[in-house]
Amino acid sequence: MRPTAAPPVRDAFFDNAKYLAIVLVAVGHAWEPLRDDSRTVTALYTVVYAFHMPAFIVISGYFSRNFDGTPRRVRRLVTGIAVPYVLFETAYTFFTRWTDGVPDRPVSLLDPLYLTWFLASLFVWRLTTPLWRSLRRPLPVALVVAMLATMSPSIGEDLDLQRLLQFLPYFVLGLCLRPEHFQMVRRRRVRLLALPVFAGAFALAYFLVPRFTGAWLFHRASAVELGAPTWAGPLMTLALFGVSVLLTACFLAWVPGRTTWFTVLGAGTLSGYLLHGFVAQLANHLGWYHPGWMHGPAGAVVTTLVAASVVTVLCTPAVRRLVRFAVEPTMEWAFRRSAERPADQPGTRDRTPSLS
């Protein structure tokens, strides 16, 4: 009889961080149609987009540190990232054929649609983890790769390579971090400093709204494609990396380290991430933003509350169980027993979760 494996011990701090980050992702998507009518919303949108995905990617990198290509971890990579990518890329293609009125939109696993780019990128990043872990200076190398990507307008759209390469430094930064680094940003002094930093970031974003294209924050195009000279790409890469890391640290400084009412939702952020896009697409299709009052302060507040509430529901254990077949399939039939947890290591924990 095989010994029973000890259940993995989850860290409340990281579950809290993942939940709060996924709320910001959903709210950011909900604000998108309101940007043209409000400078304030656009400034808030800019600040949020400067750090919400970097924060997610840094955490994903941190929990990928032990990925070593063993059968057990490869199985986790396939069932937790590759299979959901295939299923949701296909689902979003068919769904947006209806919502966007594009009935002939092709299903292409090489061209991630909407928010599925993150799964494709995470799959590649995690596969390359042993390489980054073996380098003496992995972060500078990753930054150079990202800088070169911004100078290459002909890089192509396969697997959304611009995003994959430009967001790479955040993943590598996560690989380089240790528990004590997260303890440092959670000090009371850092928490207090985070408030004026966020205030300053909002003020700067408000000033830059008519002067700066927020497309730089998406990291999905080269400098030339954004109407800037080639040399501006590397400079923006370094500048945005500095800003994003600073805001991510400020965000993490205010994440509770104790168990809260939403800690349990941190285990369901992958389902929240993948499912909330359907709601966002449906809201646009059904005319949620058509009433005039939606483009005023009241509309922005209501949109924010609805988006946060919807993604919260989508992260609940009940929804997670309902969609586990697509988001966290076990696929016992596809793997040999050697790919499972070794019988002589019942307490070994897989430290390579992505969003869940």
Side-chain angles (χ1 to χ4, degrees), residues 144-153 155 161-162 165-166 221-223:
V144 169
V145 170
M147 293 162 67
L148 292 175
T150 65
M151 302 173 66
S152 308
I155 200 170
L161 275 178
Q162 281 289 357
L165 297 177
Q166 290 189 39
S222 66

Side-chain angles (χ1 to χ4, degrees), residues 36-122:
D36 293 339
D37 303 292
S38 172
R39 187 170 178 174
T40 299
V41 170
T42 304
L44 289 171
Y45 177 94
T46 300
V47 173
V48 167
Y49 264 75
F51 76 90
H52 71 347
M53 284 311 298
F56 247 128
I57 295 168
V58 166
I59 293 174
S60 295
Y62 177 73
F63 281 106
S64 296
R65 292 169 300 157
N66 290 342
F67 182 84
D68 53 8
T70 58
R72 177 168 57 89
R73 291 196 167 101
V74 169
R75 171 176 175 169
R76 168 76 174 172
L77 185 66
V78 171
T79 60
I81 300 177
V83 172
Y85 170 70
V86 172
L87 294 177
F88 280 89
E89 174 68 18
T90 303
Y92 270 113
T93 299
F94 283 102
F95 191 73
T96 56
R97 282 181 179 180
W98 169 56
T99 58
D100 292 346
V102 186
D104 58 346
R105 174 169 286 163
V107 177
S108 174
L109 299 181
L110 292 179
D111 186 12
L113 180 65
Y114 197 28
L115 47 71
T116 58
W117 70 268
F118 177 69
L119 292 182
S121 295
L122 185 57

Side-chain angles (χ1 to χ4, degrees), residues 25-319:
V25 170
V27 169
H29 284 152
W31 283 345
E32 179 74 33
L34 305 178
R35 293 170 59 197
D36 293 339
D37 303 292
S38 172
R39 187 170 178 174
T40 299
V41 170
T42 304
L44 289 171
Y45 177 94
T46 300
V47 173
V48 167
Y49 264 75
F51 76 90
H52 71 347
M53 284 311 298
F56 247 128
I57 295 168
V58 166
I59 293 174
S60 295
Y62 177 73
F63 281 106
S64 296
R65 292 169 300 157
N66 290 342
F67 182 84
D68 53 8
T70 58
R72 177 168 57 89
R73 291 196 167 101
V74 169
R75 171 176 175 169
R76 168 76 174 172
L77 185 66
V78 171
T79 60
I81 300 177
V83 172
Y85 170 70
V86 172
L87 294 177
F88 280 89
E89 174 68 18
T90 303
Y92 270 113
T93 299
F94 283 102
F95 191 73
T96 56
R97 282 181 179 180
W98 169 56
T99 58
D100 292 346
V102 186
D104 58 346
R105 174 169 286 163
V107 177
S108 174
L109 299 181
L110 292 179
D111 186 12
L113 180 65
Y114 197 28
L115 47 71
T116 58
W117 70 268
F118 177 69
L119 292 182
S121 295
L122 185 57
F123 183 85
V124 176
W125 294 332
R126 188 162 290 167
L127 273 181
T128 61
T129 292
L131 169 64
W132 299 111
R133 296 286 289 171
S134 68
L135 295 179
R136 289 183 181 272
R137 298 289 185 270
L139 186 55
V141 173
L143 281 168
V144 169
V145 170
M147 293 162 67
L148 292 175
T150 65
M151 302 173 66
S152 308
S154 60
I155 200 170
E157 297 183 356
D158 288 350
L159 294 182
D160 215 341
L161 275 178
Q162 281 289 357
R163 272 177 167 165
L164 190 158
L165 297 177
Q166 290 189 39
F167 274 116
L168 173 64
Y170 302 100
F171 182 81
V172 175
L173 173 61
L175 292 176
C176 298
L177 293 178
R178 297 187 298 273
E180 53 264 34
H181 293 128
F182 291 96
Q183 291 295 332
M184 289 173 58
V185 301
R186 295 165 62 187
R187 294 175 180 173
R188 185 173 184 273
R189 183 191 312 173
V190 178
R191 189 175 297 117
L192 294 177
L193 289 174
L195 297 177
V197 169
F198 271 122
F202 173 76
L204 179 61
Y206 192 87
F207 171 77
L208 291 176
V209 164
R211 303 171 177 85
F212 171 77
T213 172
W216 283 103
L217 300 172
F218 302 150
H219 296 287
R220 63 186 180 198
S222 66
V224 171
E225 291 170 316
L226 293 176
T230 301
W231 56 263
L235 294 181
M236 287 298 294
T237 297
L238 293 176
L240 290 177
F241 182 76
V243 170
S244 297
V245 170
L246 175 62
L247 292 179
T248 295
C250 292
F251 164 72
L252 293 175
W254 278 94
V255 171
R258 66 185 184 281
T259 299
T260 67
W261 66 266
F262 55 80
T263 300
V264 66
L265 303 177
T269 48
L270 183 56
S271 61
Y273 178 81
L274 291 173
L275 294 176
H276 88 273
F278 293 107
V279 180
Q281 290 286 324
L282 187 62
N284 277 309
H285 180 73
L286 297 180
W288 169 269
Y289 298 96
H290 288 176
W293 68 272
M294 283 295 297
H295 296 269
V301 171
V302 170
T303 297
T304 301
L305 294 176
V306 170
S309 300
V310 167
V311 78
T312 296
V313 171
L314 296 178
C315 290
T316 57
V319 173

Side-chain angles (χ1 to χ4, degrees), residues 331-354:
M331 296 181 63
E332 299 285 350
W333 54 270
F335 295 93
R336 297 178 179 179
R337 296 183 65 85
S338 60
E340 300 176 355
R341 189 188 312 278
D344 59 346
Q345 299 181 28
T348 302
R349 290 183 295 165
D350 189 347
R351 295 285 291 172
T352 59
S354 51

